[in-house]
Amino acid sequence: MGFFDDLKRSVSDVMVGLETQMKRYKNRDVLEALMATCALIASADGHISAEEKRKMVGFVRSNPLMQVYDIDEAIKVFTKYAEQFDFDHEIATTEALRVIGKFANQPDLARMIIRVGVLVGKADGGFDPEEQEAVRVLAVELRQDPADFDLDIKPKRNPDRIR
């Protein structure tokens, strides 16, 4: 029982740390970057299904990290990025990385964005190779070492797919 208690406490500590960071960085640009990250990770397999959109809305509504933002506004911003991915995956990826990349010179914020990307990737109970690759690309865009997030995997597909 001790291992699971330690694991639960560790996850709880990470969430509290991220919550504190989210409050500190609460502004429109960060919200845009976070929702672009959510859409980027959700689209890692090439599209965002209606089910994935519902799950992301559920994530935004229920995740304590997102509670620092107006939930309706966060969902509206996520939907904007999701619709861009529906229209053209490559253009949407470029736009999402442009919005996210603004924080490459702010390492603490960049790391927080990447950690949110990992949480989104794991939100459905798994962390598919495509999602891992999308977060790896996100980390590189933010000038962070993917290995710091256990993302030092070799791509299992063409990395140009998410770029």
Side-chain angles (χ1 to χ4, degrees), residues 12-13 15 69 75 79 130 146:
S12 178
D13 290 346
M15 289 297 287
Y69 295 103
I75 291 169
T79 301
E130 294 88 1

Side-chain angles (χ1 to χ4, degrees), residues 8-41:
K8 185 177 175 183
R9 192 173 20 263
S10 174
V11 168
S12 178
D13 290 346
V14 168
M15 289 297 287
V16 168
L18 279 174
E19 248 182 285
T20 301
Q21 281 187 310
M22 293 288 276
K23 288 176 184 171
R24 192 170 83 202
Y25 293 119
K26 181 184 174 184
N27 67 53
R28 180 64 185 207
D29 288 341
V30 173
L31 175 62
E32 291 275 341
L34 291 170
M35 294 302 98
T37 296
C38 290
L40 179 69
I41 305 309

Side-chain angles (χ1 to χ4, degrees), residues 14-15 17-19 21-22 25 30-42 56 59-60 63-66 68-69 78 100 108-123 127 131 135 138 142 149 151:
V14 168
M15 289 297 287
L18 279 174
E19 248 182 285
Q21 281 187 310
M22 293 288 276
Y25 293 119
V30 173
L31 175 62
E32 291 275 341
L34 291 170
M35 294 302 98
T37 296
C38 290
L40 179 69
I41 305 309
M56 282 309 309
F59 173 81
V60 170
N63 192 292
L65 298 176
M66 297 296 141
V68 301
Y69 295 103
F78 168 74
I100 295 163
D108 289 344
L109 185 51
R111 295 179 68 75
M112 182 195 69
I113 292 168
I114 296 163
R115 286 194 295 272
V116 168
V118 170
L119 284 175
V120 169
K122 292 180 177 182
F127 197 23
E131 293 167 331
V135 177
L138 178 68
L142 289 167
F149 304 90
L151 298 167

Side-chain angles (χ1 to χ4, degrees), residues 42-117:
S43 73
D45 65 356
H47 69 284
I48 304 176
S49 70
E51 179 64 19
E52 286 174 309
K53 288 177 186 174
R54 280 192 297 279
K55 285 181 183 179
M56 282 309 309
V57 167
F59 173 81
V60 170
R61 284 191 188 283
S62 66
N63 192 292
L65 298 176
M66 297 296 141
Q67 301 302 310
V68 301
Y69 295 103
D70 175 83
I71 299 303
D72 292 330
E73 185 61 24
I75 291 169
K76 182 175 159 185
V77 174
F78 168 74
T79 301
K80 173 183 83 170
Y81 286 103
E83 287 172 355
Q84 290 177 6
F85 278 97
D86 287 343
F87 178 71
D88 187 297
H89 193 272
E90 288 184 36
I91 291 172
T93 298
T94 300
E95 176 61 13
L97 291 174
R98 183 191 67 75
V99 169
I100 295 163
K102 292 178 184 178
F103 300 103
N105 292 325
Q106 298 179 44
D108 289 344
L109 185 51
R111 295 179 68 75
M112 182 195 69
I113 292 168
I114 296 163
R115 286 194 295 272
V116 168

